[in-house]
Amino acid sequence: MEVRRQQAARLFAAGRETQGAIARRLGVSRQSVMRWYQAWRAGGREALRAAGRAGRKPRLAPAQLARVDTALREGPRAHGFRTGLWTLPRVALVIQRVTGVQYHPGHVWRLLGALDWTLQRPAKRAKERNETAIRHWVTTRWPAVKKTLGVAGPGSSSKTRAASRSGRPSPHVGPRGRPPS
């Protein structure tokens, strides 16, 4: 966008084209060209220079982010944690130790996303798990407890007419409310 504003400044200075023609030539809206023209008239070419990045400046420089990434790849145990699982509060603590910059644990996930880290949970099973007892339960107890199809009999989705339990169809009413003859 900076290049287009500078091209517009040259075209404004030449004074040969209309704002609509400049907008078409640069591929921008007429409103943008009008805004640029007003800024150019008020402050010249310097007024059309880009203002810089939008938003707050990042608190961590790219070199600091690289150090955080390296520290995280060492694992939680290397930083004095008892388990091998990264949590947001733990990552926030490591960031503070490595860079001196304090982050709220709720905002750490943004930094992790910038480092291409994703949420991963370890697969864990209970230490008390008894595979033999589970296999026995699945083969003998589960079939006895499990519901089987067809036990309840036919049902009806109608709120006003219950289904017949005998399995025979109920007599239906013919046209105009008369029973069929």
Side-chain angles (χ1 to χ4, degrees), residues 94 103 160:
V94 169
Y103 272 89
T160 58

Side-chain angles (χ1 to χ4, degrees), residues 121-177:
R121 296 184 185 224
K124 62 181 182 180
R125 294 185 170 212
K127 292 178 183 176
E128 302 84 17
R129 187 177 171 97
N130 184 343
E131 294 293 334
T132 309
I134 292 171
R135 215 173 6 262
H136 174 70
W137 189 88
V138 168
T139 57
T140 57
R141 183 76 180 120
W142 176 244
V145 175
K146 188 172 89 169
K147 292 181 179 177
T148 58
L149 292 176
V151 172
S156 173
S157 62
S158 172
K159 290 182 179 182
T160 58
R161 187 175 80 183
S164 168
R165 293 282 175 193
S166 67
R168 295 182 316 206
S170 59
H172 84 281
V173 178
R176 297 187 189 238

Side-chain angles (χ1 to χ4, degrees), residues 49-66:
R49 292 213 185 275
R53 64 172 278 112
R56 172 182 257 173
K57 185 178 174 189
R59 292 165 56 188
L60 293 179
Q64 290 176 310
L65 272 177

Side-chain angles (χ1 to χ4, degrees), residues 80-99:
F81 300 110
R82 289 186 308 152
T83 64
L85 181 67
W86 280 120
T87 62
L88 294 179
R90 287 179 178 186
V91 173
L93 188 60
V94 169
I95 291 171
Q96 187 173 7
R97 287 178 187 167
V98 171
T99 65

Side-chain angles (χ1 to χ4, degrees), residues 16-77:
R16 294 190 186 112
E17 295 185 51
T18 65
Q19 291 178 11
I22 293 172
R24 281 189 297 280
R25 176 186 253 197
L26 299 178
V28 296
S29 69
R30 286 192 339 227
Q31 290 84 356
S32 292
V33 172
M34 286 174 19
R35 234 183 7 259
W36 296 344
Y37 181 73
Q38 290 171 353
W40 177 76
R41 284 199 54 195
R45 188 170 261 187
E46 282 299 313
L48 292 180
R49 292 213 185 275
R53 64 172 278 112
R56 172 182 257 173
K57 185 178 174 189
R59 292 165 56 188
L60 293 179
Q64 290 176 310
L65 272 177
R67 287 199 330 246
V68 168
D69 188 41
T70 303
L72 292 176
R73 290 184 188 282
E74 293 170 358
R77 289 200 168 109

